[in-house]
Amino acid sequence: MQDSFGRGITYLRLSVTELCNLRCRYCMPEEGVCKKRHEEMLTQEEMLQAVRAAASLGITKLRITGGEPLVKPNIVELCRGAAATEGIREVCLTTNGTLLPQLAVPLREAGVKRLNISLDTLDAEKYRRITRLGSLEQALAGIEAALDAGFEKIKLNTVLIGGFNDDEIPQLAELTRRWNLDLRFIELMPMLDSDEFGPEAFLPYTVVTEKLPQLVPAAADGGVAKLFRLPGAQGNVGLISPVSAHFCAECNRIRLTADGKLKPCLHSSAEFPIKGLDYEGMREQIKTAILAKPQWHGALDYSHHSQAKRNMNQIGG
Ligand code: SAM
Ligand code: SF4
């Protein structure tokens, strides 16, 4: 289905939980989330019904995200159900990777084709600092498990944070030589609780090309990243610039939060509830949300915070 600005909407990002086993400083408060009542959250059946309704309106690609999707009980069954939905051609999943040693093979067998795994640093102490709880060793073990499980594509997501990991840009990019995967640097977005980051943390994607002059442009893959490659590398280095050069004109996605709110735009406060609706009701509400998709997300930078009124773990990054 097309939105009011002629953009074809083919991509649904489904957040299956707000909970997480980490507490990344740019994503979640230290104390975690105030756990909502079970009745407020979508059930697994409602999530799959929403996927069916979305597919009937032209959604072909689904990304399962969170919070951390792998902490959700029955995540494998949910992925299997989504992958079996008529019209859904591709189920992808975004994860911090720490539970992949146990779950990579079952997820692949359930029909998940592609994985995005978050990794902001290769330094164990810095990993612990940015995630507040995590272990780099566990995250790297998750990446290795994913590589062994035979996914069609694996991408690492690195949030670029000035004064934290800009000194590691070359080492992180080198992972595309060591492993058959892409690594994407993503500009830090000023979400609800990003106050601990000063202006120096918000780096434009161009710092990557400045630090890696040997990068050569690579063929586009239809995604939002500008793609480059290190000579001799197995995968691409991607640059994603939601802040310094937004890609709203090509945006093809809508989002569904774990508490059942359709979000036509990541950075807008507009939300359309679907909790408790039947199939037809969800279908109508998805149409309404698509038609309400704004032309662009409005000013977004250190002094203009996202209008989303939620942190990323409560939207689904
Ligand atoms: N827990 C999973 C993970 O970490 O990959 C999936 C959910 S997480 C919210 C999805 C992505 O959003 C991660 O790659 C994370 O780094 C990114 N993210 C969260 N907050 C962000 C922010 N303020 N700016 C840029 N990216 C952010
Ligand atoms: Fe959890 Fe992912 Fe947010 Fe980190 S970025 S706190 S891993 S949801």
Side-chain angles (χ1 to χ4, degrees):
M1 177 177 160
Q2 289 203 338
D3 73 2
S4 320
F5 301 95
R7 294 171 295 197
I9 307 301
T10 54
Y11 182 8
L12 172 66
R13 293 171 82 105
L14 170 64
S15 172
V16 297
T17 179
E18 296 184 357
L19 306 179
C20 187
N21 54 348
L22 304 183
R23 298 280 183 277
C24 301
R25 290 174 183 273
Y26 46 72
C27 178
M28 238 175 136
E30 184 163 18
E31 62 279 13
V33 281
C34 159
K35 210 174 163 194
K36 292 187 175 138
R37 284 182 305 127
H38 192 62
E39 309 84 80
E40 290 176 66
M41 310 309 280
L42 290 180
T43 63
Q44 182 162 322
E45 291 68 37
E46 285 176 317
M47 287 181 188
L48 289 173
Q49 177 174 277
V51 171
R52 282 199 300 282
S56 78
L57 293 168
I59 297 291
T60 56
K61 175 173 171 179
L62 179 72
R63 176 169 302 281
I64 309 259
T65 179
E68 174 48 46
L70 302 192
V71 303
K72 185 175 174 62
N74 300 329
I75 184 64
V76 174
E77 282 65 41
L78 182 57
C79 291
R80 200 188 314 281
T85 302
E86 197 183 330
I88 297 294
R89 293 194 206 129
E90 192 168 66
V91 175
C92 317
L93 185 140
T94 302
T95 171
N96 61 37
T98 54
L99 297 172
L100 282 173
Q102 306 90 287
L103 285 169
V105 169
L107 288 169
R108 183 68 190 105
E109 286 172 359
V112 175
K113 286 192 178 166
R114 294 163 165 252
L115 282 187
N116 286 0
I117 307 174
S118 299
L119 183 71
D120 295 334
T121 173
L122 290 167
D123 178 297
E125 188 277 322
K126 282 163 76 178
Y127 186 87
R128 166 65 58 140
R129 197 170 357 128
I130 198 74
T131 63
R132 293 196 184 103
L133 293 174
S135 136
L136 176 66
E137 203 185 333
Q138 245 178 303
L140 294 177
I143 295 170
E144 303 262 11
L147 286 164
D148 290 345
F151 289 93
E152 286 183 9
K153 185 86 193 172
I154 298 176
K155 296 178 183 172
L156 302 185
N157 285 343
T158 301
V159 181
L160 254 183
I161 308 170
F164 174 72
N165 61 5
D166 46 331
D167 58 333
E168 289 187 75
I169 289 171
Q171 294 91 314
L172 286 158
E174 278 296 318
L175 295 178
T176 63
R177 276 205 246 257
R178 174 163 149 204
W179 286 322
N180 180 13
L181 45 67
D182 288 2
L183 182 136
R184 291 116 45 93
F185 291 101
I186 304 174
E187 289 175 351
L188 175 66
M189 291 181 271
M191 305 304 289
L192 189 62
D193 284 334
S194 318
D195 286 348
E196 74 170 88
F197 296 99
E200 71 293 344
F202 293 83
L203 293 178
Y205 72 94
T206 45
V207 298
V208 176
T209 43
E210 280 159 22
K211 293 217 176 196
L212 297 173
Q214 66 275 43
L215 283 177
V216 290
D221 65 356
V224 295
K226 299 167 206 14
L227 296 181
F228 298 86
R229 200 171 264 250
L230 287 175
Q234 305 186 61
N236 293 325
V237 172
L239 308 179
I240 303 186
S241 55
V243 178
S244 71
H246 70 80
F247 32 80
C248 303
E250 288 96 56
C251 185
N252 60 354
R253 56 189 70 172
I254 53 168
R255 292 163 194 268
L256 177 57
T257 65
D259 61 349
K261 307 292 190 304
L262 285 161
K263 285 187 71 68
C265 169
L266 167 59
H267 295 299
S268 140
S269 60
E271 299 185 347
F272 298 83
I274 62 162
K275 173 76 192 161
L277 298 182
D278 63 10
Y279 174 83
E280 276 308 322
M282 283 192 186
R283 214 170 166 268
E284 286 309 307
Q285 196 69 316
I286 295 169
K287 281 191 210 166
T288 307
I290 290 177
L291 291 174
K293 198 170 160 61
Q295 191 166 15
W296 77 298
H297 57 46
L300 189 67
D301 55 38
Y302 170 65
S303 40
H304 295 90
H305 272 214
S306 171
Q307 297 301 304
K309 311 278 186 296
R310 286 175 180 248
N311 280 317
M312 206 63 131
N313 73 297
Q314 295 181 304
I315 301 174

